[in-house]
Amino acid sequence: KMGVRKSDRELKDVFLKYDIDNSGTISFEEYLEFVKDFLLDQSQTMLAVEYLKELEDSPGLEYEGDEVKPEVAGDGDLYNQMLQIIDDHHDDLELVSRTADVTESNQIRAVIVKLVLDMVVFEASDIEKMKGQEILRLVANKRGWDWKNQEASKSVPLEGMADWYTCLMRTYDAFELRPLLKRCLAANYNTINLLSGKFGILFDECYCTILAGIVSWDANRIKGENIKELMLPVIFAFSCGTGNKMGMATEGIPTLVGPGFEKPGPTNLALAQSIQNILAVRAMPVFAQWEIADALIYGED
């Protein structure tokens, strides 16, 4: 407000522009970019400098030379938090990965281990060159989402993952999922501390949220009798991405999206199958996004 004489709406737009990592707050690095771009009047610049000086002694901050840094997590804090999250969700992990098919169970376990390793396997030199938001995007987007899409597009998704999991168990001498995950973290203890030490407590919170998303599962299963006892049940089905392009979208117009131009994809096919399993027990209305509705009516093609 001091630097930009604008309406609240315009001020919010300025805030969003400089909140580069979409954290909901302005970091000192982002704030200094704002200062350089907007505070051209000397009196305004002096006010901004005085404000930064006031923050030097604020709780939770430390000052080094010309740079104000967030307080970093204590040595091993992030590592211990990650271990605790895995311990807290041991039952969830066992339920979600325990199927009648051993190979399928090991595939699921392998995916979970792979996603956790994606969080902690980095070269120290790469961490030094990267920003916190770049690390988070790499973990969530490139190593996670993009990898999932690549696997889903293969004729045999997750091929070799079960064998890889078996090799990991032997390598780490851990034959259950929880101890294996903990030993994978222990093997990358220095990397976890390096990440936490460089990027600070807010980064730790983001990392713990990502890990919780990987290992937290509501694996409870409802019985057919319980479905029959429900009063006026309805299914709301929300899709997850799409599959490969089809029709005119494969004939020179790849920007076409939606029904008739994209297949549902394997995730939505699985969600559609879950709905069909419920409807086989009891009929009820279904409100589904088009990807799942398409899978329910037409199947994969």
Side-chain angles (χ1 to χ4, degrees):
K1 289 183 178 179
M2 176 179 61
V4 187
R5 309 295 182 184
K6 295 179 179 290
S7 67
D8 287 345
R9 176 65 257 179
E10 292 171 320
L11 191 63
K12 184 176 181 181
D13 291 338
V14 174
F15 176 90
L16 293 174
K17 175 183 177 181
Y18 286 89
D19 184 19
I20 299 170
D21 58 359
N22 297 317
S23 65
T25 60
I26 297 294
S27 68
F28 282 100
E29 182 180 2
E30 293 165 342
Y31 180 66
L32 291 175
E33 288 298 316
F34 162 78
V35 169
K36 287 189 286 187
D37 288 350
F38 275 88
L39 301 188
L40 303 179
D41 181 83
Q42 186 176 11
S43 62
Q44 293 179 335
T45 304
M46 289 304 299
L47 285 171
V49 170
E50 289 175 9
Y51 177 63
L52 285 174
K53 287 182 177 179
E54 291 176 7
L55 289 175
E56 290 174 17
D57 299 321
S58 298
L61 299 172
E62 59 184 41
Y63 187 69
E64 295 182 9
D66 296 325
E67 187 176 6
V68 181
K69 295 182 177 181
E71 182 180 67
V72 299
D75 189 34
D77 282 356
L78 177 57
Y79 171 75
N80 290 327
Q81 290 176 58
M82 295 176 79
L83 290 182
Q84 188 61 53
I85 290 171
I86 290 171
D87 281 338
D88 289 344
H89 297 282
H90 169 61
D91 292 342
D92 291 353
L93 291 169
E94 285 305 300
L95 281 172
V96 80
S97 62
R98 188 181 297 148
T99 69
D101 188 312
V102 174
T103 299
E104 183 176 294
S105 290
N106 284 344
Q107 280 183 331
I108 297 172
R109 295 182 182 116
V111 170
I112 293 172
V113 174
K114 186 263 182 197
L115 294 175
V116 172
L117 284 173
D118 285 346
M119 299 179 65
V120 298
V121 176
F122 291 94
E123 294 293 335
S125 58
D126 291 334
I127 295 175
E128 289 301 320
K129 292 184 292 186
M130 298 176 74
K131 296 180 178 180
Q133 67 189 58
E134 293 174 326
I135 295 285
L136 295 173
R137 286 174 181 165
L138 177 63
V139 169
N141 295 344
K142 295 293 184 183
R143 294 182 172 183
W145 184 258
D146 288 355
W147 172 79
K148 188 273 294 183
N149 289 336
Q150 290 168 5
E151 286 296 319
S153 66
K154 295 179 180 178
S155 58
V156 184
L158 305 179
E159 187 175 17
M161 291 293 286
D163 293 336
W164 176 71
Y165 181 78
T166 301
C167 291
L168 278 181
M169 288 193 296
R170 293 172 183 155
T171 300
Y172 287 98
D173 193 28
F175 298 94
E176 291 185 3
L177 182 55
R178 182 173 64 98
L180 177 56
L181 289 172
K182 295 175 74 171
R183 291 187 182 185
C184 288
L185 293 183
N188 294 279
Y189 177 83
N190 291 335
T191 300
I192 296 170
N193 272 343
L194 184 59
L195 289 167
S196 178
K198 179 179 180 182
F199 301 118
I201 292 173
L202 292 180
F203 179 88
D204 289 3
E205 292 178 1
C206 290
Y207 243 43
C208 287
T209 300
I210 293 174
L211 179 61
I214 295 172
V215 302
S216 303
W217 297 84
D218 181 358
N220 295 320
R221 290 168 171 79
I222 189 170
K223 296 180 180 179
E225 296 78 23
N226 300 122
I227 295 176
K228 293 176 181 177
E229 293 172 358
L230 294 173
M231 183 179 294
L232 301 176
V234 176
I235 296 174
F236 289 91
F238 298 95
S239 61
C240 184
T242 59
N244 295 327
K245 297 286 187 178
M246 61 182 292
M248 293 179 62
T250 63
E251 300 171 4
I253 316 179
T255 54
L256 292 174
V257 297
F261 305 117
E262 294 174 304
K263 296 182 179 182
T267 302
N268 294 315
L269 286 168
L271 291 169
Q273 184 60 56
S274 295
I275 294 171
Q276 289 176 331
N277 294 342
I278 296 172
L279 296 179
V281 176
R282 179 179 176 181
M284 63 186 74
V286 177
F287 296 88
Q289 285 187 255
W290 77 261
E291 296 90 339
I292 298 176
D294 189 293
L296 283 167
I297 296 171
Y298 300 110
E300 182 176 3
D301 296 325

